[in-house]
Amino acid sequence: GKVLPGHDFVNDDDIAQDDHGHGTFVAGIASSLADNNTGVAGVCWYNQILPVKVMDSSGNGTHADVADGIIYASDNGADIINLSLGDPSSSATLESAVKYAYDMGVVNVAGVGNDGGSVLYPAAYNEYVLAVAATDHNDQRATFHDWSSNFGPEVDVAAPGVDIYSTRWDNTYATRSGTSASSPFAAGLAGLILSHD
């Protein structure tokens, strides 16, 4: 009952169904129902989710689709946009979209990436986006098998990103790691703060 009608920019329709699994996992961290004796509790358990699909079933997408999704979410009442995605390449289209959202009062939150290098875009658009790195169980920069959290001066905050338990699209639960998990912790906290005041 928390998921609003959204839009799919990959298939250009109003069926924003997750066909990869990543979006469902991320949304669960930010805003799963709480106090229902089921699964996990999201950071901000009362807020709704506006699903906007900008990645295909393989987890790939274009700057144009991401930008369209950001603008759509901004125009349709989103207060916070979580962007658990990244690209090493900047684009005027993507930067313009996060600026548009920011100018509308939206809090843009993005993971910084998982290749141990520089902060990816859109997180690197530091003027308009809250950039979130991942930490491990010891509150250190996360490393996990063959990846580590990206880092750099653009990072605003870090959040848990190793062995995070959340929702799956088949109504089960699973553990994953990465800044894609860290970002919705920060986005959920932003939602919690906003819902309080």
Side-chain angles (χ1 to χ4, degrees):
K2 297 185 63 164
V3 180
L4 301 168
H7 190 77
D8 177 347
F9 285 93
V10 175
N11 299 302
D12 197 28
D13 59 37
D14 290 331
I15 305 169
Q17 181 66 43
D18 184 2
D19 57 7
H20 182 268
H22 187 265
T24 303
F25 185 83
V26 168
I29 296 166
S31 195
S32 282
L33 288 172
D35 200 24
N36 61 355
N37 297 313
T38 304
V40 298
V43 176
C44 190
W45 52 92
Y46 291 118
N47 291 33
Q48 294 177 305
I49 296 289
L50 175 66
V52 182
K53 182 175 171 55
V54 297
M55 299 293 191
D56 64 20
S57 60
S58 300
N60 297 308
T62 67
H63 285 187
D65 282 349
V66 174
D68 286 345
I70 292 167
I71 292 167
Y72 173 88
S74 302
D75 288 345
N76 284 274
D79 295 308
I80 296 150
I81 297 175
N82 182 76
L83 297 156
S84 287
L85 50 84
D87 190 314
S89 302
S90 177
S91 80
T93 301
L94 189 55
E95 184 174 16
S96 177
V98 294
K99 181 183 185 307
Y100 177 84
Y102 177 86
D103 288 345
M104 290 188 68
V106 174
V107 178
N108 296 301
V109 182
V112 299
N114 304 319
D115 62 13
S118 300
V119 173
L120 301 179
Y121 295 94
Y125 297 125
N126 214 206
E127 186 175 350
Y128 312 116
V129 181
L130 182 73
V132 186
T135 58
D136 63 17
H137 306 309
N138 297 312
D139 204 26
Q140 300 297 310
R141 183 165 69 97
T143 58
F144 191 80
H145 296 300
D146 58 349
W147 71 271
S148 62
S149 177
N150 291 17
F151 61 97
E154 301 88 354
V155 172
D156 294 298
V157 67
V162 176
D163 295 332
I164 306 303
Y165 194 62
S166 187
T167 48
R168 284 177 39 99
W169 61 339
D170 61 359
N171 295 318
T172 62
Y173 301 87
T175 300
R176 289 187 177 182
S177 301
T179 61
S180 284
S182 306
S183 185
F185 272 110
L189 180 57
L192 192 62
I193 292 167
L194 185 62
S195 66
H196 179 69
D197 184 11

